[in-house]
Amino acid sequence: MKWKEQLLHLNSYQPGKSIDEVKSLYGLDSVVKLASNENPFGCSKNARQAMSLSNSEFPLYPDGYATDIRTALAKHLAVTEEQLVFGNGSDELIQMISRALLSSGRNTVMAESTFPQYRHNAVIEDAEIREIPLRNGEHDLDRMLEAIDHNTSIVWICNPNNPTGHYIAENELRSFLERVPTDTLVVLDEAYYEYVVADDYSKSTHLLSTFSNIIILRTFSKIYGLASLRLGYGISSAEIIRTLEPVRAPFNVNLIAQSVGIAALSDQSFISECREKNRNGLDQFYRFCNENRLDYYPSQANFILINFRTDGNEVFQYLLERGYIVRSGRALGFPTSVRVTVGSQAQNEGVIKEMGEYITSIRKVSEGVKQ
């Protein structure tokens, strides 16, 4: 087989262990998953009701233009319907953008520790990858600008950034965009947009009228609680969307995702409630970190990256054996940290208790060594 050479050295995405797998592996009755930044409060009642859709249309292909959700979302965002593109999750949109713009001889600029699918897709397209280290958990926009040249096709900005939760203030983002060449596409990945409470966070759809080279990615997988349905969307100029559309697979968004997405969008009170509960949950983790003198990044997302100053895999394993699935920071560029999704109050209390016991255990070991 004449595979692309780069595929022979590229690992496929490795999902974490499932709840049932962890239960079986460690003989547990209860397991809490806090690894994938899913919404612990599920989805809105409107969305659940929409899931009872009759199966009479299942033999037919879904609406390939996603007409109804396109209309509803355009109204919600105050943009035109021609400014939207839909994907089977925002992962597919990242893949589409990469396929449309990247190739051998082109390059792409991104943060060194950010959402890994930017890099993954660039490798597949055989593009040069220019990764810029974070600065105190945030994008180093000045160094990213320095990395751009006439062969740069895409710049990726994850805002808030995964895995640190740091956000870029609007004035900083505008200053950055003003200096990016107009023939370079800037992707503003805002998967956690609805969780942000910072006053100076950019309402990025307002930037579309000023900057012709940006596309904004958002998703129904996070605060809307519809990760299993895979529904993401992009917002940009009608021209960029029109050029990108031929890359999109036909009928890529399924019937249920379209229908349930409309229902979820109609319940913004649920979104507000989740955002407030998430802030309360983050406060639980902040108190724990401060009490135990652990470094962390203040987060505008629904997760927190905590530095235990030890092997992140060890912390991950300790919590896993006690029924809490988190994400080791080792694969995220933070080898002494773990990333924890903010759960319900009870879930947060449970994992915090176990993290506290882990700290106590390593302190006892350390004291024993000193003696």
Side-chain angles (χ1 to χ4, degrees):
M1 295 293 182
K2 299 179 181 179
W3 300 107
K4 287 183 176 181
E5 179 66 24
Q6 58 268 31
L7 291 181
L8 304 179
H9 310 286
L10 185 64
N11 294 325
S12 62
Y13 177 76
Q14 299 297 317
K17 289 182 171 57
S18 68
I19 289 175
D20 288 340
E21 186 179 359
V22 174
K23 283 182 178 179
S24 175
L25 194 59
Y26 297 106
L28 300 169
D29 295 325
S30 175
V31 171
V32 177
K33 185 184 176 190
L34 299 173
S36 301
N37 306 334
E38 296 144 328
N39 189 340
F41 308 108
C43 60
S44 82
K45 62 181 185 303
N46 294 14
R48 289 195 299 272
Q49 289 170 358
M51 288 180 193
S52 61
L53 177 73
S54 165
N55 66 1
S56 60
E57 296 182 62
F58 285 2
L60 305 179
Y61 286 109
D63 177 3
Y65 190 63
T67 304
D68 291 342
I69 191 169
R70 182 182 298 272
T71 299
L73 190 59
K75 181 178 180 181
H76 175 71
L77 298 172
V79 299
T80 68
E81 295 183 14
E82 293 76 22
Q83 289 180 264
L84 296 172
V85 61
F86 291 88
N88 185 33
S90 54
D91 285 330
E92 186 187 28
L93 293 167
I94 293 168
Q95 183 183 57
M96 288 164 55
I97 293 167
S98 299
R99 186 178 183 188
L101 287 166
L102 296 179
S103 61
S104 178
R106 309 296 295 176
N107 71 69
T108 178
V109 176
M110 65 191 72
E112 188 174 66
S113 299
T114 192
F115 189 52
Q117 288 303 300
Y118 312 149
R119 189 183 204 285
H120 184 90
N121 282 283
V123 170
I124 293 173
E125 301 304 332
D126 199 26
E128 178 192 351
I129 300 165
R130 299 181 177 179
E131 295 178 295
I132 308 303
L134 295 176
R135 183 185 59 199
N136 298 321
E138 61 186 272
H139 287 72
D140 191 336
L141 297 179
D142 289 335
R143 287 195 59 194
M144 293 180 78
L145 280 168
E146 292 172 1
I148 298 172
D149 63 20
H150 65 282
N151 286 323
T152 304
S153 293
I154 308 172
V155 177
W156 303 91
I157 302 288
C158 189
N159 190 26
N161 187 45
N162 178 8
T164 62
H166 189 277
Y167 76 102
I168 302 171
E170 179 164 5
N171 63 331
E172 295 175 353
L173 184 58
R174 281 185 175 273
S175 176
F176 173 78
L177 292 172
E178 286 168 355
R179 291 178 286 169
V180 175
T182 56
D183 61 352
T184 296
L185 182 69
V186 179
V187 181
L188 302 176
D189 187 348
E190 298 182 346
Y192 302 94
Y193 169 83
E194 292 86 0
Y195 282 110
V196 178
V197 298
D199 292 335
D200 57 349
Y201 181 70
S202 173
K203 305 297 187 292
S204 55
T205 50
H206 298 169
L207 300 174
L208 291 169
S209 60
T210 304
F211 302 99
S212 62
N213 60 329
I214 64 174
I215 184 168
I216 302 158
L217 305 186
R218 294 184 188 166
T219 181
F220 282 82
S221 295
K222 303 305 179 183
I223 204 167
Y224 284 96
L226 302 179
S228 66
L229 297 185
R230 312 307 297 126
L231 178 60
Y233 59 96
I235 320 159
S236 189
S237 67
E239 180 182 359
I240 286 177
I241 297 299
R242 185 166 55 250
T243 307
L244 187 61
E245 272 286 346
V247 186
R248 182 177 61 82
F251 312 112
N252 62 325
V253 179
N254 70 74
L255 174 70
I256 298 177
Q258 293 185 37
S259 176
V260 176
I262 295 170
L265 195 64
S266 71
D267 191 357
Q268 289 301 306
S269 62
F270 173 78
I271 302 304
S272 297
E273 290 169 9
C274 290
R275 180 165 49 242
E276 182 177 356
K277 289 177 180 178
N278 183 69
R279 298 315 303 179
N280 293 337
L282 280 169
D283 286 340
Q284 290 179 268
F285 287 104
Y286 294 161
R287 287 193 296 272
F288 164 75
C289 291
N290 292 333
E291 289 168 1
N292 290 277
R293 299 181 181 179
L294 297 175
D295 295 329
Y296 64 93
Y297 293 109
S299 176
Q300 287 292 323
N302 69 331
F303 54 81
I304 182 170
L305 188 69
I306 304 174
N307 185 0
F308 283 83
R309 296 188 289 275
T310 187
D311 186 353
N313 285 350
E314 180 181 302
V315 183
F316 162 81
Q317 187 63 35
Y318 181 94
L319 296 174
L320 187 70
E321 293 174 8
R322 288 154 182 80
Y324 289 93
I325 309 173
V326 300
R327 184 77 187 273
S328 170
R330 182 164 290 279
L332 305 174
F334 295 87
T336 61
S337 300
V338 294
R339 191 192 67 194
V340 186
T341 302
V342 177
S344 66
Q345 181 178 347
Q347 290 171 341
N348 298 337
E349 289 172 352
V351 74
I352 285 171
K353 176 178 179 293
E354 296 296 346
M355 290 192 296
E357 292 183 359
Y358 172 78
I359 292 172
T360 299
S361 70
I362 60 173
R363 283 175 180 167
K364 286 181 179 179
V365 171
S366 177
E367 290 169 1
V369 169
K370 289 178 181 179
Q371 293 174 354

